[in-house]
Amino acid sequence: MSLPHAILTALLEKPSSGLELTRRFDRSIGYFWSATHQQIYRELGKLEQAGRIRSLPSAAPARGQKKEYEVLAAGRAELSDWVRRSEEPKPTRDALLLRLRAAAVVGTEGFADELRRHLSLHRAQLDEYLAMEERQFPPERDTEADRLRHLVLRGGIELERFWTGWLTEALAEFERLGPG
Amino acid sequence: MSLPHAILTALLEKPSSGLELTRRFDRSIGYFWSATHQQIYRELGKLEQAGRIRSLPSAAPARGQKKEYEVLAAGRAELSDWVRRSEEPKPTRDALLLRLRAAAVVGTEGFADELRRHLSLHRAQLDEYLAMEERQFPPERDTEADRLRHLVLRGGIELERFWTGWLTEALAEFERLGPG
DNA sequence: TTACTCATGTAAGCAGTTACATGATTGT
DNA sequence: ACAATCATGTAACTGCTTACATGAGTAA
């Protein structure tokens, strides 16, 4: 049940409409919890019905008209609870590692290309995170909230470093196995 | 669509019944693609109907009776295709990073305990992987398939190292922020 | 005969994905 | 007038989770 909480977090950072949220998910929150606009609109409806957010009075209720939402006290309380609740980490589900294991059984022909492709995607993501780090966290920004958000970004950075490192190692192994 | 392919891989490694598969998922394949017995039985039914696997002739069709499956040529071909197909990596969805970002907004009280708990879970998983590495990949086992399966396990190991490293860093940051 | 474990399933519901629909606003 | 873009939705479907049901074999 993370999506509603991701939305509450985003709305607390800045009240927004559904489309604005969708865009912010595409380039910020979504790096850790992606969502499409369909999911977001559906969830905004549920959150409003549950009394956790409300649409700003200025907003027209018509279709095609922008509708801005803000978080109510009940929404903040719910988010605060969620952060404190203890939750089990979800078991890993990674298709690439699974496919490599399958390749060990049915053969690796053509798989090196896929590894190269993933490597370049992860390198690009890593570069993007590093650029974000420079822009968003210059040394003078150092409030408690800044340090925490920086920590989250460093999580993303180190995760991409893991992928680029492992993929590089995997490609080296493939070259040792011979051209295929 | 990874679960059917995970099952095909497991069945190629060794023909099994549903419950045996469930157990192997719990301690091997499931480290990269977890599944419950309900999922597995449902998927076995679909794979059999699609002509990708068959239950061994010896097996009684009665409820409560063990039923063993093996992969047919069509199943191997499908798995082989899947390994070669190019697939986009799924966007990351990590609840802990998301919760830390929420904590930056609503306050971190009580969150350090959760970080410590996750750290100890990841340390335990790392130890388990390292023990598996010693057992399953002694220097003399060095066929192509061994090297590939070892590479998969090293992926798991390095992923757990990322988590333990980042969580340690996060806890250090929390202590700098002051006791809470 | 009761309880426990092995083994296979059914059913309901939730979360996420994909495809499509509809209205409002702006530029040419 | 039309096309493009902004903006909000609906519907159908797939995959995963949770809770429960049922039968067979075995040991006290």
Side-chain angles (χ1 to χ4, degrees):
Chain A
M1 274 261 298
S2 293
L3 179 59
H5 301 105
I7 291 176
L8 288 171
T9 304
L11 286 180
L12 279 169
E13 288 171 355
K14 181 176 180 332
S16 307
S17 69
L19 194 63
E20 281 162 5
L21 274 179
T22 303
R23 286 184 183 136
R24 290 172 58 201
F25 267 73
D26 282 344
R27 55 165 207 274
S28 168
I29 291 249
Y31 289 139
F32 314 107
W33 204 274
S34 69
T36 61
H37 81 272
Q38 292 90 337
Q39 277 178 284
I40 289 169
Y41 283 118
R42 195 182 332 130
E43 208 59 50
L44 283 170
K46 284 188 205 170
L47 284 167
E48 189 176 21
Q49 267 216 312
R52 304 216 206 284
I53 62 174
R54 63 162 184 184
S55 49
L56 293 180
S58 60
R63 190 171 183 143
Q65 295 287 81
K66 193 157 113 171
K67 207 156 85 179
E68 289 232 310
Y69 292 93
E70 68 176 5
V71 178
L72 297 173
R76 180 181 278 268
E78 165 55 34
L79 187 64
S80 198
D81 273 9
W82 180 66
V83 168
R84 276 156 196 68
R85 271 202 288 280
S86 137
E87 283 195 350
E88 295 315 304
K90 285 228 172 145
T92 308
R93 280 212 176 111
D94 185 86
L96 193 65
L97 288 168
L98 184 61
R99 282 164 81 201
L100 183 55
R101 176 142 175 181
V105 177
V106 297
T108 57
E109 207 200 342
F111 199 63
D113 280 344
E114 182 70 351
L115 291 176
R116 271 186 280 272
R117 205 173 61 86
H118 280 243
L119 177 55
S120 87
L121 289 170
H122 284 291
R123 277 190 180 139
Q125 185 68 68
L126 176 56
D127 288 347
E128 198 181 328
Y129 284 161
L130 290 172
M132 282 175 66
E133 189 179 31
E134 270 197 45
R135 268 203 319 277
Q136 294 177 23
F137 303 103
E140 69 271 18
R141 299 206 56 176
D142 201 39
T143 67
E144 178 169 323
D146 286 326
R147 295 172 80 101
L148 291 172
R149 286 189 297 111
H150 193 174
L151 197 51
V152 174
L153 182 57
R154 283 209 301 277
I157 288 170
E158 286 167 32
L159 192 53
E160 295 303 329
R161 280 203 224 278
F162 150 71
W163 277 114
T164 55
W166 180 79
L167 283 164
T168 301
E169 193 187 343
L171 279 164
E173 187 71 53
F174 267 63
E175 269 160 38
R176 229 169 297 148
L177 291 177
Chain B
M1 273 262 297
S2 293
L3 179 58
H5 301 105
I7 290 177
L8 288 172
T9 303
L11 286 180
L12 279 170
E13 289 171 354
K14 179 178 182 329
S16 309
S17 68
L19 195 61
E20 280 163 7
L21 275 178
T22 304
R23 285 183 184 136
R24 290 172 58 203
F25 267 73
D26 282 345
R27 55 166 205 275
S28 168
I29 291 248
Y31 289 139
F32 313 110
W33 204 275
S34 68
T36 62
H37 81 272
Q38 293 90 338
Q39 276 179 285
I40 288 170
Y41 284 118
R42 196 178 338 127
E43 209 60 50
L44 283 170
K46 284 190 205 168
L47 284 167
E48 190 177 21
Q49 268 216 314
R52 304 216 206 284
I53 63 174
R54 65 164 182 179
S55 49
L56 292 180
S58 62
R63 190 171 184 143
Q65 295 288 80
K66 195 157 116 171
K67 207 157 86 181
E68 287 232 311
Y69 292 93
E70 67 175 6
V71 178
L72 297 172
R76 180 181 280 269
E78 165 55 34
L79 187 63
S80 198
D81 274 9
W82 180 67
V83 168
R84 274 153 198 69
R85 273 204 286 280
S86 137
E87 284 196 349
E88 295 314 305
K90 285 229 171 144
T92 309
R93 278 209 177 112
D94 185 85
L96 192 65
L97 287 168
L98 185 61
R99 282 163 81 201
L100 183 54
R101 176 140 173 182
V105 177
V106 298
T108 56
E109 206 199 343
F111 198 64
D113 281 343
E114 182 71 350
L115 291 176
R116 269 186 281 271
R117 204 172 63 86
H118 280 242
L119 178 55
S120 86
L121 289 170
H122 284 290
R123 277 189 180 140
Q125 185 68 67
L126 177 56
D127 288 346
E128 199 180 328
Y129 285 159
L130 290 172
M132 284 174 64
E133 189 179 31
E134 270 195 45
R135 269 203 318 277
Q136 295 177 22
F137 303 103
E140 69 272 16
R141 298 206 55 176
D142 203 37
T143 67
E144 178 169 324
D146 285 327
R147 294 172 80 100
L148 291 173
R149 288 188 295 110
H150 193 174
L151 197 52
V152 174
L153 182 56
R154 283 209 300 277
I157 289 171
E158 287 167 31
L159 192 53
E160 294 304 328
R161 281 204 223 277
F162 150 70
W163 277 113
T164 54
W166 179 78
L167 284 164
T168 302
E169 193 188 343
L171 278 164
E173 187 71 54
F174 267 63
E175 268 159 39
R176 229 170 296 146
L177 291 176

